[in-house]
């Protein structure tokens, strides 16, 4: 590994640890010439499936686009970057484990919505409103009701069944 300070190739590994839920190896290195220390990350490079857009076109998966969309929904929200990194990694793991050559962009959007629901309610509603193209206030109310039911179920462990009024 080339030293980023003096460009020599004589470095040694001081410490290695798993990072990002085991998806990467973090290595602490020291240059044998200038004795500066630096960190590197290693991860396996797996082929991502192509993403099938709504218009039928295929595009390459972009972690940058995924992270940007999540960050936009979380803008000015008090969320730890570790939570964001973990959510991105979970979505990528789902993508890699689906064993398909093509994955619909709609599926990735639904995974993002699921992750945002776990991280931050406001970001969840922001993303869902754009992604699902809410047209009116009623659509917002329906989504908020769904979110409330999920939270009650999560907090109490009780399933909520919607029933009609009896006459």
């Amino acid at each position: 590994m080339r030293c980023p300070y003096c460009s020599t190739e004589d470095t040694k590994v001081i410490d290695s640890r798993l990072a990002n839920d085991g998806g990467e190896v973090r290595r602490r290195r020291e240059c044998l010439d200038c004795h500066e220390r630096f960190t590197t990350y290693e991860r396996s490079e797996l082929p991502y499936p192509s993403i099938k857009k709504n218009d039928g076109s295929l595009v390459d998966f972009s972690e940058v686009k995924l992270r940007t969309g999540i960050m936009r929904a979380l803008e000015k929200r008090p969320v730890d970057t570790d939570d964001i990194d973990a959510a991105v990694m979970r979505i990528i793991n789902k993508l890699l484990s689906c064993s398909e050559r093509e994955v619909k962009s709609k599926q990735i959007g639904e995974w993002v919505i699921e992750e945002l629901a776990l991280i931050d309610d406001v970001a969840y509603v922001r993303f869902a409103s754009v992604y699902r193209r809410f047209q009116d206030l009623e659509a917002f109310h329906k989504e908020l009701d769904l979110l409330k039911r999920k939270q009650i179920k999560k907090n109490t462990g009780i399933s909520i069944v919607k029933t009609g009024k009896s006459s």
Side-chain angles (χ1 to χ4, degrees):
M1 175 64 60
R2 185 180 304 263
C3 173
Y5 300 103
C6 70
S7 297
T8 189
E9 292 187 21
D10 291 329
T11 62
K12 70 177 180 179
V13 175
I14 298 169
D15 180 43
S16 292
R17 298 177 188 197
L18 292 178
N20 290 332
D21 293 330
E24 295 179 338
V25 177
R26 175 187 180 272
R27 297 197 194 281
R28 192 74 180 137
R29 298 176 181 268
E30 181 178 0
C31 177
L32 297 176
D33 284 349
C34 70
H35 303 290
E36 290 289 336
R37 291 185 176 192
F38 58 99
T39 303
T40 61
Y41 291 88
E42 296 176 21
R43 68 176 168 177
S44 58
E45 194 162 314
L46 300 170
Y48 290 111
S50 295
I51 307 304
K52 189 167 192 170
K53 305 292 276 182
N54 291 335
D55 66 3
S57 64
L58 292 176
V59 297
D60 292 335
F61 171 75
S62 169
E63 183 178 337
V64 171
K65 282 175 133 179
L66 173 65
R67 188 176 296 276
T68 301
I70 291 172
M71 294 296 291
R72 191 173 299 132
L74 288 164
E75 192 171 318
K76 297 184 181 180
R77 298 297 303 153
V79 176
D80 190 26
T81 55
D82 289 341
D83 293 337
I84 297 167
D85 292 342
V88 169
M89 289 308 299
R90 284 190 296 269
I91 292 169
I92 289 173
N93 288 338
K94 287 177 185 177
L95 183 65
L96 292 172
S97 67
C98 73
S99 71
E100 298 291 326
R101 293 180 68 179
E102 296 175 3
V103 174
K104 292 182 180 180
S105 61
K106 182 175 182 170
Q107 178 61 65
I108 293 174
E110 291 301 322
W111 289 336
V112 170
I113 287 174
E114 289 171 11
E115 291 295 331
L116 287 173
L118 298 172
I119 295 173
D120 186 84
D121 296 341
V122 172
Y124 165 84
V125 172
R126 280 180 185 168
F127 189 88
S129 68
V130 173
Y131 183 73
R132 294 186 176 148
R133 296 186 174 114
F134 293 170
Q135 298 296 317
D136 56 21
L137 198 54
E138 184 59 31
F140 271 100
H141 283 294
K142 286 179 184 177
E143 197 68 35
L144 289 172
D145 287 342
L146 177 65
L147 182 62
K148 286 178 189 175
R149 286 195 303 272
K150 285 180 181 178
Q151 283 185 338
I152 290 170
K153 184 178 179 182
K154 182 174 75 174
N155 292 337
T156 63
I158 299 171
S159 292
I160 297 181
V161 178
K162 197 172 185 179
T163 59
K165 288 185 177 180
S166 57
S167 330

